[in-house]
Amino acid sequence: MDFDFFVIGGGSGGVRAARIAATHGARVGIAEDRFWGGTCVNIGCVPKKFLVMAAEYGATAHDARGFGWDVNTGTHDWPALLRAKDTEIARLNGIYTGLLDKAGATIFNARARFIDAHTLDVGGQRITAHKILVATGGHPTGLDIPGAEHAIISDDAFFLPHMPKRVAIIGGGYIAVEFAGIFAGLGAETHLVYRQPLPLRGFDEDLRSGLAEALTANGVHLHPHQEPAEITLHGEARRLTLKSGSVLETDLIFFATGRAANTGDLNLAAADVKTGTQGEILVDEGFATSTPHIYAVGDVTDRLNLTPVATAQGHALADTLFGGNPRGVSLDSVPTAVFSIPPLATVGLTEAEAAAQGPVKIFISRFTPMRHTLTGRARKTLMKLVVDAATDRVLGAHMLGEDAPEIMQGLGIALTAGATKTDFDRTIGIHPTAAEEFVTMRTQTRVAGLRAAGE
Ligand code: NDP
């Protein structure tokens, strides 16, 4: 065999697995034909966060007036922002390949495909390996409606030649609400079209309604209970006809309607690797596919499609196979954040999920962040704890408001360690912060889940 371990895909999961396996002494090859660092570094988390930061600066400059600064925001230079973003991402691409090189992995700037269960075609070269990891990630999927070719997906949003004046985003998930903040913050008339009553299905209801209010306060036009029917061109403009019959005229239509696994080009059948109904690779708890020496991690398995999950899985797999340290990755209590404006973050169970299991005490705090007592901006922070009434364990923590992702990372440790509400209460706060509210919530807002207890 040419390699002990061959990794297909140079994204978060693949690079981590390849690097750690090589550090453990395995002979490792890794193939990537597009972006070193994958979706997150190139057309996902990293550039998205730069765009969110850019979008926040306008309002922040305006806020500074409340603190005595005489600031004029002027205009925004979109091409300058994209140039700065591209420079930083090129640097990150180099870091990724540098790390692999330093660890001793062999890098192939090529596409890989299975020939059989131990043999790959890597850019025309036949390569054999004892073990193979598929870490090819996913891609955004649009909707199959007439005129869909006139809409963009998130991959395109990072390379728009200029900022549109009017945007309609379809979907109410992570990507939709994040880009609603970006476009509205950079001055576009922004419409969010989604089929649920509130954005972010699956998140805690209080957070969802708080986010809808915050989006409206930021000037985003919300269109709940709506589904698109057709897109037509009218000169430079695009018309989005909804199933309800309403029509939105806009300059850009953006599908943020989910992602699908990148398995179409791999010739998985040649290696007898089984996929699910959406093309995702089916794996067991040890990341093994239906062919036991072939593994898969990250978005290609479509479980919890988050970069840190893919990275943790890639690391655990490399430790298991080559480091003499077999271990899995728990997907319980994975903290997550949505970089909307303001952001929201969450760890553990929502009120509805917890209440379905039994009685829970709910603590909610809603307040104007200190900064905005002087800026006058209508912005509320919302914090919420879901506590098991029987054991006092904190089952869920949720926050909408500035710094929510930074705060939730620490609370993620507390919940992973099994902290109780009493542990939260005996922790001394840091004053004056928003975060201290999580350790000073004493008044119970309500009890939920009594019906589940009765049943
Ligand atoms: P999501 O799954 O989060 O959201 C998809 C949205 O599209 C939902 O609102 C869904 O509605 C809607 N939708 C799906 N199909 C249709 C349809 N046929 N008609 C109308 N609406 C439809 O996907 P995203 O594309 O936003 O993001 C993909 C994944 O990437 C996320 O789930 C997340 O795992 C990851 N991600 C993480 C980020 C982070 O950590 N900050 C940032 C961006 C992405 P409904 O709810 O009704 O199904």
Side-chain angles (χ1 to χ4, degrees), residues 53-79:
M53 287 169 173
E56 283 178 318
Y57 270 113
T60 307
H62 190 268
D63 287 346
R65 293 183 199 159
F67 291 83
W69 288 97
D70 178 18
V71 179
N72 286 315
T73 40
T75 54
H76 182 258
D77 184 343
W78 170 260

Side-chain angles (χ1 to χ4, degrees), residues 63 66 368 371-379:
D63 287 346
T368 300
R371 175 187 306 278
H372 297 306
T373 56
L374 293 204
T375 67
R377 188 133 59 104
R379 184 174 275 188

Side-chain angles (χ1 to χ4, degrees), residues 72-382:
N72 286 315
T73 40
T75 54
H76 182 258
D77 184 343
W78 170 260
L81 169 63
L82 290 206
R83 278 196 302 276
K85 178 260 300 177
D86 289 341
T87 304
E88 173 56 10
I89 284 165
R91 188 183 73 85
L92 293 175
N93 295 146
I95 287 179
Y96 269 75
T97 47
L99 284 172
L100 287 164
D101 204 36
K102 211 167 138 204
T106 306
I107 294 171
F108 295 83
N109 288 296
R111 218 170 166 75
R113 233 171 153 257
F114 283 93
I115 294 171
D116 62 41
H118 281 287
T119 315
L120 297 164
D121 174 325
V122 183
Q125 212 177 325
R126 270 177 91 89
I127 303 269
T128 52
H130 285 290
K131 294 180 175 14
I132 296 170
L133 171 64
V134 183
T136 48
H139 60 275
T141 50
L143 297 184
D144 190 15
I145 57 170
E149 66 278 13
H150 304 307
I152 67 157
I153 49 170
S154 59
D155 289 12
D156 309 314
F158 297 105
F159 305 99
L160 291 176
H162 51 260
M163 256 293 292
K165 289 204 165 54
R166 300 168 299 178
V167 184
I169 302 172
I170 300 166
Y174 279 78
I175 295 179
V177 299
E178 291 181 342
F179 272 94
I182 291 166
F183 286 121
L186 293 176
E189 176 192 302
T190 305
H191 296 264
L192 192 62
V193 178
Y194 49 95
R195 59 187 179 182
Q196 302 296 330
L198 289 167
L200 291 184
R201 181 167 60 86
F203 282 75
D204 189 88
E205 290 292 307
D206 286 311
L207 240 53
R208 295 176 72 193
S209 47
L211 175 68
E213 279 170 33
L215 288 168
T216 306
N218 288 348
V220 177
H221 302 271
L222 302 185
H223 302 269
H225 300 293
Q226 296 285 356
E227 282 184 66
E230 186 190 21
I231 299 169
T232 49
L233 282 186
H234 289 262
E236 290 292 294
R238 277 135 178 78
R239 263 185 213 163
L240 174 65
T241 307
L242 304 175
K243 284 187 184 167
S244 61
S246 356
V247 178
L248 281 174
E249 182 152 312
T250 179
D251 302 311
L252 185 83
I253 298 176
F254 183 156
F255 283 133
T257 45
R259 297 177 60 88
N262 286 334
T263 48
D265 288 345
L266 289 169
N267 195 23
L268 291 174
D272 206 17
V273 171
K274 302 260 182 303
T275 53
T277 51
Q278 306 301 314
E280 77 281 11
I281 296 184
L282 303 174
V283 286
D284 66 14
E285 286 312 299
F287 318 112
T289 68
S290 48
T291 298
H293 69 272
I294 300 177
Y295 303 85
V297 296
D299 286 10
V300 77
T301 62
D302 197 18
R303 287 166 132 194
L304 195 50
N305 297 334
L306 301 171
T307 294
V309 169
T311 314
Q313 291 176 335
H315 201 134
L317 179 68
D319 282 352
T320 302
L321 297 180
F322 304 105
N325 175 20
R327 60 195 183 87
V329 173
S330 167
L331 296 185
D332 295 336
S333 295
V334 172
T336 184
V338 182
F339 293 92
S340 46
I341 298 178
L344 63 87
T346 184
V347 58
L349 301 183
T350 64
E351 177 177 339
E353 286 166 345
Q357 296 172 11
V360 278
K361 297 180 191 168
I362 304 300
F363 295 82
I364 295 177
S365 178
R366 209 175 129 87
F367 56 93
T368 300
M370 189 175 169
R371 175 187 306 278
H372 297 306
T373 56
L374 293 204
T375 67
R377 188 133 59 104
R379 184 174 275 188
K380 289 278 186 220
T381 287
L382 181 111

